[in-house]
Structure formats: C-alpha cells, structure tokens
Amino acid sequence: MISQIGVISLAKLKQGERARVVYTKEYDRGFVQHLSDMGLIDGSEIEIIAPGNPGPFLIEVKDTSLAIGQGIAKRILVEKNI
C-alpha cells in the first residue's frame, strides 16, 4: 500500500496541471494492461490538456495525446508536480 499523502485521482486535475502516475498495481490485470498499453504506468509524467467536464479527459503522456474517460481518470492515482 502507498502513502495517500499528496496522492489524488487524475480526474481532479485541471487544465495545464502536470502530475506523475504513482500507483496502478492494485487494480485487476486487464485494467493495468490497458493503462500500460496507453503508456500510463507508474512513474509516467502527464499533463492535462483538457479536463473531462463533460466528456473525456485529454492528456499528454510521452509526447502523445490520449483521450480517457471519466471512469478511468477516477481510478488513476497521481501526485501533482509543484
């Protein structure tokens, strides 16, 4: 288990904010593989291009833009870069 201090859901980030994915391993193998296929693994640096309110989040990871739904965004835990 990780410390929850400073860890939030990706869904709480706003446009322009940067964060690091900190924990995905607690989810089932299929979900973790889905995130990995998109480049969202522990340690990945992301930036919110457009918040998903309403609709999907548009994020940048490894120089690639991705659209992810609200449900997935709520399950990805990140640590904001200050």
Side-chain angles (χ1 to χ4, degrees), residues 14-17 46-52 56-61 63-66:
K14 295 179 172 73
Q15 184 173 353
E17 289 187 312
I46 63 167
E47 180 179 353
I48 303 298
I49 298 170
F57 277 79
L58 185 58
I59 66 171
E60 185 173 300
V61 60
D63 297 323
T64 300
S65 295
L66 297 173

Side-chain angles (χ1 to χ4, degrees), residues 32-49:
V32 172
Q33 184 63 50
H34 179 63
L35 295 179
S36 179
D37 290 346
M38 292 188 294
L40 294 169
I41 59 173
D42 292 353
S44 295
E45 297 286 333
I46 63 167
E47 180 179 353
I48 303 298
I49 298 170

